[in-house]
Amino acid sequence: MPYNFDANIAVSIGLRQILHFVQYNHRVKQDILGFIGAGKLAGSVIRGLLLKKFCKANAILASEPNAETRAQLQDEVHISVITDNAEVIRKADIIFLGLKPQMVLPVLRELGDTIGKKLVVSFAAGIRIPQMEKVTTARIMRVLTNTPSAIGRAASAFASGSRVTQHDREKIRTMFETIGIVAEVEDSQIDAVTALAGSGPAFVYAMIEALARGGEKMGLSRESSLRLAAQTALGAAELMITSEKSPGDLIRMVVTPGGTTAAGLGVLEKRAVADALADAVEAATKRGEEMARENL
């Protein structure tokens, strides 16, 4: 049933996150999280976990070859960032691979027996779980998330390999529910998640930029246009989530026949904007599938 956007929602969400946090820390409070590669996406996850107090900075260890990225993480979130992948593997209980797709299999091969049967979670697009399981004895999972994880607003999905336990799934679900929403999917569906949630922020930013450009064209300042467009996107998204109404229902709540919104929607329909966005998700999904074949 739909529910109203009131304080009860905030309380419900807050209690659920607290429960996840307590349950996780009760079970695995000694876990050290290791990140091999701590660039844009992995760095966003690290920032989000610390922002939402999922763990303390001393529970995270990362290896990162880029000196500027290392310094930035050390200065901003005070985690330990090194250059030795093997040390991360030795010290961490759960290992996250924040690597470019073409580096995932070579790094797993290079680390060999050091990984053992630890839980390894890959953020990389285009590298399937069976491909990783062929080169390591680790328990393999994939998580596709996005950069809004840095502020606790991630959209994530995870898939599990053949060696993964239910306890592993619970750990990862709890972790990513702390920094946003999460869904469990099949490995074969990860490419679609990559396109929709992983690439999706860029598509949304493009829409915000276009709306702001329209505001400028009509006489608003650049700064005002961007702020208004971004807040409009944020408010519309939050209203859809909290009201549980469909996009169509919410559109009908705004549109008045013959009014300003109807005029604007007519242009979007004429220019096939909805089809273009759906095609963007399709194109990104197909590229993920191509990358998987390239890495066979």
Side-chain angles (χ1 to χ4, degrees), residues 206-257:
M207 288 188 288
I208 291 171
E209 172 66 29
L211 288 170
R213 194 164 66 244
E216 286 185 86
K217 185 177 180 181
M218 293 298 101
L220 297 176
S221 70
R222 170 72 172 171
E223 180 183 3
S224 293
S225 292
L226 277 174
R227 289 184 65 202
L228 288 168
Q231 183 61 36
T232 298
L234 175 62
E238 287 191 349
L239 180 59
M240 195 186 82
I241 291 169
T242 56
S243 70
E244 294 187 344
K245 293 182 183 296
S246 70
D249 287 339
L250 291 167
I251 289 171
R252 285 187 286 274
M253 289 170 59
V254 180
V255 175
T256 301

Side-chain angles (χ1 to χ4, degrees), residues 7-254:
N8 290 331
I9 296 170
V11 170
S12 174
I13 294 171
L15 288 175
R16 186 165 66 249
Q17 289 183 340
I18 290 169
L19 179 59
H20 287 324
F21 176 81
V22 171
Q23 287 176 336
Y24 182 90
N25 282 273
H26 175 70
R27 291 194 305 264
V28 290
K29 61 183 179 181
Q30 298 302 314
D31 274 354
I32 301 298
L33 309 180
F35 289 79
I36 296 181
K40 295 176 182 177
L41 185 58
S44 295
V45 172
I46 291 168
R47 288 174 173 85
L49 292 172
L50 294 173
L51 176 70
K52 293 298 182 178
K53 302 187 187 305
F54 179 80
C55 61
K56 295 182 179 179
N58 61 11
I60 295 178
L61 175 64
S63 62
E64 168 56 48
N66 184 282
E68 184 178 349
T69 301
R70 287 199 306 273
Q72 190 175 36
L73 280 169
Q74 288 168 335
D75 292 343
E76 288 182 13
V77 294
H78 312 297
I79 65 168
S80 178
V81 190
I82 58 177
T83 58
D84 186 354
N85 292 340
E87 184 176 346
V88 172
I89 295 296
R90 285 192 298 270
K91 293 183 176 179
D93 301 296
I94 304 174
I95 296 106
F96 295 90
L97 302 181
L99 301 166
K100 293 180 179 179
Q102 64 269 27
M103 294 301 299
V104 170
L105 298 180
V107 167
L108 286 174
R109 290 191 187 100
E110 176 190 334
L111 294 169
D113 295 338
T114 309
I115 296 178
K117 296 183 179 181
K118 290 185 176 183
L119 178 59
V120 174
V121 181
S122 173
F123 293 144
I127 306 296
R128 299 279 195 263
I129 288 173
Q131 293 173 273
M132 290 183 276
E133 288 185 331
K134 284 182 181 178
V135 299
T136 181
T137 56
R139 310 191 314 276
I140 298 292
M141 296 182 71
R142 294 179 71 190
V143 170
L144 265 295
T145 187
N146 54 24
T147 51
S149 57
I151 59 168
R153 291 290 185 269
S156 309
F158 69 89
S160 305
S162 60
R163 305 166 193 151
V164 168
T165 67
Q166 184 59 33
H167 189 48
D168 294 333
R169 292 185 183 90
E170 290 174 5
K171 285 183 181 183
I172 297 305
R173 181 188 296 278
T174 297
M175 186 179 301
F176 284 88
E177 281 184 340
T178 302
I179 58 173
I181 66 164
V182 62
E184 184 170 7
V185 300
E186 298 296 325
D187 189 33
S188 60
Q189 297 174 307
I190 286 287
D191 292 321
V193 175
T194 303
L196 181 58
S199 302
F203 305 154
V204 174
Y205 300 144
M207 288 188 288
I208 291 171
E209 172 66 29
L211 288 170
R213 194 164 66 244
E216 286 185 86
K217 185 177 180 181
M218 293 298 101
L220 297 176
S221 70
R222 170 72 172 171
E223 180 183 3
S224 293
S225 292
L226 277 174
R227 289 184 65 202
L228 288 168
Q231 183 61 36
T232 298
L234 175 62
E238 287 191 349
L239 180 59
M240 195 186 82
I241 291 169
T242 56
S243 70
E244 294 187 344
K245 293 182 183 296
S246 70
D249 287 339
L250 291 167
I251 289 171
R252 285 187 286 274
M253 289 170 59
V254 180

